Amino acid sequence: MTGSDSSKRKISADEDADQGVKKRVVGDPSNDVEVLLGKSRVTDDEFKVILARATADQRLRFIQRQIGHYLSNENLSRDNFYHQKFQEGSSKEGVEHVMDLKYILSAKRMLDIKATADDVKSALESHPITGISIEEISGIVYVKKSDGLPRYEGRKLFEKKRKFGETNDTYHAAGPIIFISNIPSSVQEWQQVKDALQESKQIRVRFISPISDSGHCFAWVCKSPEALGIVKELSPVIDGNTLSVSLVDTDEKYKEFIATLKPSILSSRNKDLQRVHSEIMSSPLDINGLILRNFGCLRPLLNGLLESSDNGTKIPLKSQAGILLQFVLDFHPRKAEKLCVSQRSICGFEVAMGTFKEGSKKKCFLVVTRDNSSGHEYKEDFSISKCLECLRLKAHTIPKTDKREFIKSLSVSSP
């Protein structure tokens, strides 16, 4: 697909239309239904394009796609209605994991595309979905999920955004947090445990919690370059009993540790985390050979690239801009969906002119992928803000450098 072609098609932002957020679209409503079918999500506006322009086969493929979504384990684990209807169908017919097809056909998009039972049969015959089949029982057409139903978990609730120090790989950023168990019942005072931990004089314990009735406690160890490695090798002994020492590595254990902290200790740890994070954010970065002054330079560099690039500008993977965009995209919360990594390969990026629903226009980046079988190219936009939001929590993993040859702008030319 050429740059001019891509400017004529519509591309959605990351959010769904029904979430009431701004949508970013690129160019004109497109007749390239093939591209829309390759997207991880199809917005309401894009669905209208499919309704208006899909060929007979593309229509069946869209129907197959919707069935795959409705009956996916991810959706069924959240969809109580379908769970109930599967149970009703199985109970009525004495056949496991069947549901009356009418409940699929009554979904809004299936109604809009005027899907029938024959359409569903044809769609699944032409484009099978593993584990899903159509069966007629007692004159009623059922859909069967032969691999069974996932456990119903309910709707996802919005989770509180975690801060630096609250994620699995940053628990120990201000010093190792350890869980000590197998403490003999004869040991009642935490001081004995603290002394045993510090006996080798290789570490210093900043805080230790009271010993629980089940014989365990938590400790917070002073931060040092060697502390994590030393803690992993600790085998403290009390009264001939070797204590079990392990790093806190689960959300459950971390929350339990936090609950043991006195307000003054919690405040002290938070201040240490802020200091460590500030040092990380202000340190020079080496991103695959690109030297950046600090984390804060990422957004200005990418915004500057958008401002200086024309609509349709292609960005090779090996260019400075391509290297940085590929690095940032790795942290997108829906990277796997955006890239369809099991079926496609990333082949570059592109600058396109996006239009918000209210009419304002703004440039955005597209990631260009190529189907490994057909060679067909797909283009989908992605949110730099979402990437950087996730990357912020992982900033400590970016290699640091002492080099000072900082880049001030990004080239789109291959070396």
Side-chain angles (χ1 to χ4, degrees):
M1 181 182 296
T2 65
S4 59
D5 287 333
S6 70
S7 66
K8 294 179 182 177
R9 67 186 186 82
K10 179 175 287 188
I11 296 182
S12 75
D14 294 317
E15 298 82 9
D16 290 335
D18 58 2
Q19 289 180 319
V21 294
K22 290 182 178 180
K23 301 294 293 183
R24 185 169 66 242
V25 294
V26 177
D28 218 13
S30 166
N31 60 358
D32 196 346
V33 175
E34 198 66 34
V35 171
L36 298 181
L37 290 175
K39 287 173 61 66
S40 56
R41 295 187 182 185
V42 173
T43 67
D44 287 345
D45 286 341
E46 290 168 339
F47 177 51
K48 292 175 184 176
V49 175
I50 292 174
L51 286 176
R53 302 182 182 275
T55 64
D57 181 65
Q58 287 172 333
R59 177 175 173 274
L60 289 181
R61 285 168 57 198
F62 181 81
I63 291 172
Q64 181 257 19
R65 168 196 171 112
Q66 289 301 110
I67 294 170
H69 165 66
Y70 298 143
L71 302 184
S72 67
N73 286 340
E74 181 181 3
N75 186 62
L76 288 175
S77 67
R78 309 290 177 189
D79 196 316
N80 187 44
F81 176 77
Y82 280 151
H83 250 271
Q84 289 180 345
K85 295 309 175 185
F86 265 106
Q87 291 171 2
E88 289 176 10
S90 298
S91 176
K92 178 182 177 181
E93 301 296 348
V95 179
E96 286 191 333
H97 314 312
V98 294
M99 177 178 71
D100 194 326
L101 183 60
K102 70 180 182 182
Y103 298 116
I104 294 287
L105 296 177
S106 65
K108 184 178 184 304
R109 287 194 171 180
M110 298 295 269
L111 290 172
D112 289 344
I113 207 166
K114 296 181 171 58
T116 65
D118 287 339
D119 288 332
V120 172
K121 291 177 183 177
S122 297
L124 293 180
E125 285 174 2
S126 304
H127 312 284
I129 300 175
T130 303
I132 297 176
S133 59
I134 299 297
E135 294 190 11
E136 189 168 330
I137 307 172
S138 304
I140 299 175
V141 180
Y142 287 89
V143 60
K144 181 174 183 178
K145 188 168 168 56
S146 59
D147 55 353
L149 299 180
R151 183 171 65 88
Y152 178 67
E153 298 176 1
R155 293 286 180 185
K156 285 184 179 178
L157 299 176
F158 290 104
E159 295 183 0
K160 175 187 173 184
K161 289 183 180 179
R162 295 190 179 187
K163 300 177 182 178
F164 182 79
E166 298 177 347
T167 59
N168 185 277
D169 58 344
T170 62
Y171 290 155
H172 312 291
I177 304 168
I178 57 178
F179 177 70
I180 306 106
S181 57
N182 197 35
I183 301 173
S185 57
S186 59
V187 178
Q188 300 295 318
E189 297 295 328
W190 54 261
Q191 186 66 50
Q192 290 177 267
V193 179
K194 181 177 180 180
D195 291 343
L197 290 171
Q198 297 184 140
E199 186 174 6
S200 66
K201 298 183 179 180
Q202 292 181 293
I203 62 168
R204 186 165 66 87
V205 176
R206 291 188 65 175
F207 165 81
I208 189 164
S209 71
I211 300 170
S212 71
D213 293 338
S214 57
H216 71 259
C217 66
F218 292 91
W220 173 28
V221 177
C222 288
K223 179 180 173 63
S224 74
E226 303 83 16
L228 273 176
I230 293 171
V231 163
K232 292 177 182 178
E233 301 298 325
L234 282 179
S235 298
V237 177
I238 299 180
D239 297 340
N241 294 283
T242 301
L243 308 187
S244 176
V245 178
S246 59
L247 288 168
V248 166
D249 60 359
T250 66
D251 192 44
E252 181 182 2
K253 278 284 188 287
Y254 174 74
K255 288 179 179 177
E256 193 177 342
F257 160 72
I258 291 296
T260 68
L261 297 181
K262 297 177 181 178
S264 59
I265 300 297
L266 181 60
S267 175
S268 178
R269 181 172 183 271
N270 287 339
K271 287 179 181 178
D272 281 7
L273 286 170
Q274 290 174 5
R275 177 180 53 77
V276 171
H277 194 235
S278 294
E279 290 174 359
I280 290 170
M281 300 300 279
S282 60
S283 298
L285 309 176
D286 184 343
I287 299 178
N288 299 325
L290 302 180
I291 310 302
L292 277 64
R293 184 179 296 277
N294 52 46
F295 185 91
C297 292
L298 280 167
R299 188 183 293 276
L301 278 171
L302 293 170
N303 285 344
L305 175 62
L306 279 177
E307 292 171 5
S308 62
S309 301
D310 295 329
N311 180 26
T313 298
K314 298 187 182 300
I315 303 174
L317 289 179
K318 293 185 178 180
S319 66
Q320 288 183 337
I323 290 171
L324 190 58
L325 283 170
Q326 195 168 7
F327 173 80
V328 168
L329 181 57
D330 268 342
F331 295 89
H332 194 285
R334 293 198 295 114
K335 172 196 169 185
E337 291 180 44
K338 292 285 181 185
L339 299 182
C340 292
V341 290
S342 61
Q343 302 171 16
R344 305 178 199 163
S345 300
I346 183 171
C347 53
F349 296 91
E350 192 171 310
V351 174
M353 183 61 71
T355 305
F356 284 98
K357 275 196 167 181
E358 67 272 18
S360 62
K361 293 187 176 182
K362 185 178 179 181
K363 290 178 185 174
C364 62
F365 290 113
L366 309 180
V367 58
V368 184
T369 56
R370 183 177 292 115
D371 189 281
N372 296 330
S373 300
S374 67
H376 188 87
E377 282 193 358
Y378 297 90
K379 299 181 182 182
E380 186 158 352
D381 69 343
F382 62 99
S383 168
I384 290 296
S385 293
K386 286 190 175 183
C387 295
L388 295 182
E389 183 179 333
C390 294
L391 180 55
R392 178 175 290 274
L393 292 178
K394 299 279 189 178
H396 60 287
T397 66
I398 307 175
K400 307 302 183 289
T401 181
D402 293 327
K403 296 179 181 178
R404 292 295 183 269
E405 301 82 22
F406 306 124
I407 59 172
K408 297 181 179 179
S409 61
L410 295 169
S411 168
V412 297
S413 302
S414 295

